[in-house]
Amino acid sequence: MEHINKNRLFVASCISLIVTAMTFAIRAGILGQLGTDFQLSDTELGWVNSMAFLGFPIATIFGGLVYNSLGARKLMIIAFVSHILGLLLTIFAGGFWTLLISTFFIGFANGSVEAACNPLIADMYTDNRTTMLNKFHVWFPGGIVIGALVSKFMTDFGMSWQLQIASMIIPTLIYGFLFLGQKFPKSENIESDTKVNLKSLLSPLFIFMVICMTLTATTELGTQQWVEKILGNSGASPMLILAMVTGLMAVGRYFAGPIIHKLNPPGVLFASAIISAIAIYLMSSATGGMVYVAAILFAVGVCYFWPTMIGFVSEYTPKTGALGMSLIGGAGMFATSIWQPVIGSWLDKAKATALDAGASVEQAELMAGQETLSNIAIFPMVLVVLFGILYTQRKKLEANRI
């Protein structure tokens, strides 16, 4: 590590994650415009969303399998090229199918970032992996804040969705420049034998965490990606809620160290599941100012899910190596991709039912959003049980922790 500029690599990694997050936030902000311009239903918009979440796990599976041979540098080149290609194809999209293709490339770029940067950071900061992974993942909610505010500002000033997509090219060029010419570590502190990695994936604990990750990711991202459609008629500003929620998440992740040290990862995950379930349940019935209160609780609940899951795998199932960290993230995104069109169909069906009952369009959209949130609340409720079981085993787990 003597000749490696860890600080520059970490900063570049953070900016690449900002781009990843901005793609989620800005896509959430322009869903309505895309639906209008291309005459797409919520179910079709769900399929467009799902391509981002599908491209992500395909990239993480690929990246995890080849990380030991290609390394983080080449994976970041793939991420950079895919980001540029996906953004340009989106800007010039002509309809549903071209949106599907361009969004897939963006998702593949986002997954490549995770596949490269998580093991890179775990390797560079081996003595405090979960804390540094939380600090890295500050910039997912941080990037969503940036993207949400950019989207709201540009929309309020009548700027097109194409310009909103184009705004992400700037930070993409910045992280490409920062990675340019840098020396990367050679997996000195993580298991780099792919055969050992593959064998370790059969661990019951790893399989259990993969199942949990499908639920934590859908709880967090399934709610956030549809915030404009779900809360658009609740009496609160959806994009301000998204910015507020993710801003609080960023602050929470930055100061994650003492919390993780005090509760340990199983305790953090158990508490997060309880708070998330309560928050989404409250959001499903709140209107006006109470939406902001419920959203604050939601931010606290989902704040530590993603980075703590990755950190848990790195520390409690260390022999899975870079592959384990990539696959746990990929499992979360793959599950979210499956649920995107389902969430869209929940909105379509609930809105149609409300309209048939005589509700106005605004009332129907509010009722559909609330009913959809009630459905999403089931995910963290299941997690309360699963992480409760994990928490009871925390003393046994500590014996194998690195």
Side-chain angles (χ1 to χ4, degrees):
M1 296 285 180
E2 293 180 7
H3 305 293
I4 294 171
N5 189 338
K6 292 198 291 185
N7 185 59
R8 177 162 171 165
L9 290 177
F10 185 77
V11 170
S13 298
C14 292
I15 295 175
S16 69
L17 193 61
I18 288 174
V19 176
T20 293
M22 287 181 73
T23 67
F24 285 96
I26 290 179
R27 187 169 56 253
I30 66 173
L31 271 183
Q33 295 179 57
L34 292 177
T36 300
D37 285 3
F38 297 112
Q39 297 182 332
L40 304 176
S41 67
D42 285 341
T43 302
E44 288 173 318
L45 290 173
W47 281 109
V48 172
N49 278 344
S50 74
M51 287 298 102
F53 294 105
L54 179 62
F56 187 104
I58 290 175
T60 57
I61 291 170
F62 168 76
L65 288 170
V66 302
Y67 184 90
N68 294 333
S69 56
L70 291 185
R73 180 178 176 275
K74 290 181 180 178
L75 285 178
M76 285 311 303
I77 292 173
I78 292 171
F80 176 79
V81 172
S82 297
H83 264 142
I84 293 294
L85 186 59
L87 293 172
L88 291 177
L89 287 174
T90 302
I91 291 170
F92 296 105
F96 176 67
W97 289 104
T98 45
L99 281 174
L100 286 180
I101 295 168
S102 62
T103 307
F104 176 84
F105 272 108
I106 291 174
F108 191 86
N110 295 343
S112 298
V113 166
E114 287 269 342
C117 295
N118 284 322
L120 172 65
I121 291 166
D123 196 19
M124 291 193 300
Y125 302 99
T126 187
D127 294 330
N128 54 344
R129 290 180 178 180
T130 299
T131 297
M132 290 307 294
L133 283 168
N134 265 280
K135 287 190 175 182
F136 166 56
H137 282 278
V138 160
W139 295 106
F140 189 79
I144 288 180
V145 172
I146 295 169
L149 293 178
V150 166
S151 180
K152 179 171 174 55
F153 173 84
M154 296 180 78
T155 299
D156 288 349
F157 279 85
M159 298 183 186
S160 68
W161 61 264
Q162 289 93 339
L163 282 176
Q164 295 186 43
I165 295 295
S167 69
M168 292 182 279
I169 294 176
I170 297 171
T172 301
L173 294 174
I174 292 173
Y175 87 69
F177 173 76
L178 288 175
F179 276 124
L180 186 66
Q182 293 300 297
K183 186 176 181 181
F184 285 70
K186 296 181 179 180
S187 300
E188 298 173 4
N189 299 305
I190 58 175
E191 179 59 61
S192 57
D193 186 328
T194 304
K195 289 183 180 179
V196 174
N197 296 158
L198 288 168
K199 185 178 179 180
S200 300
L201 297 180
L202 299 177
S203 156
L205 179 58
F206 181 77
I207 294 170
F208 177 84
M209 295 306 290
V210 166
I211 293 170
C212 291
M213 187 66 166
T214 65
L215 301 172
T216 61
T218 307
T219 298
E220 176 184 346
L221 299 174
T223 306
Q224 291 181 8
Q225 188 68 101
W226 288 92
V227 66
E228 194 271 337
K229 301 291 289 186
I230 288 175
L231 298 176
N233 289 280
S234 65
S237 169
M239 296 314 288
L240 285 181
I241 287 176
L242 185 59
M244 179 186 72
V245 165
T246 49
L248 289 170
M249 289 173 65
V251 173
R253 287 180 180 179
Y254 187 80
F255 295 103
I259 295 171
I260 291 170
H261 179 73
K262 187 174 182 63
L263 294 180
N264 77 26
V268 170
L269 293 171
F270 184 38
S272 296
I274 294 171
I275 296 170
S276 297
I278 295 171
I280 297 178
Y281 176 77
L282 291 176
M283 286 174 70
S284 71
S285 60
T287 56
M290 282 304 297
V291 177
Y292 293 97
V293 176
I296 290 171
L297 196 61
F298 174 77
V300 174
V302 301
C303 177
Y304 300 113
F305 269 155
W306 191 280
T308 303
M309 293 292 285
I310 294 173
F312 183 100
V313 167
S314 177
E315 294 185 15
Y316 291 88
T317 59
K319 290 186 178 181
T320 60
L323 182 58
M325 285 183 277
S326 293
L327 290 185
I328 196 77
M333 284 298 183
F334 180 68
T336 308
S337 76
I338 292 173
W339 285 104
Q340 287 301 300
V342 175
I343 293 172
S345 69
W346 286 342
L347 285 165
D348 278 337
K349 290 175 183 177
K351 181 179 177 180
T353 300
L355 288 173
D356 290 342
S360 66
V361 174
E362 291 77 13
Q363 289 174 326
E365 290 181 348
L366 173 61
M367 293 166 67
Q370 291 180 333
E371 184 174 328
T372 299
L373 283 170
S374 296
N375 293 337
I376 294 174
I378 295 171
F379 294 104
M381 290 178 185
V382 174
L383 284 169
V384 171
V385 177
L386 295 179
F387 285 144
I389 295 170
L390 189 72
Y391 185 67
T392 63
Q393 303 299 310
R394 64 191 182 282
K395 291 182 179 179
K396 292 181 181 179
L397 291 171
E398 287 300 312
N400 298 319
R401 186 181 183 185
I402 66 168

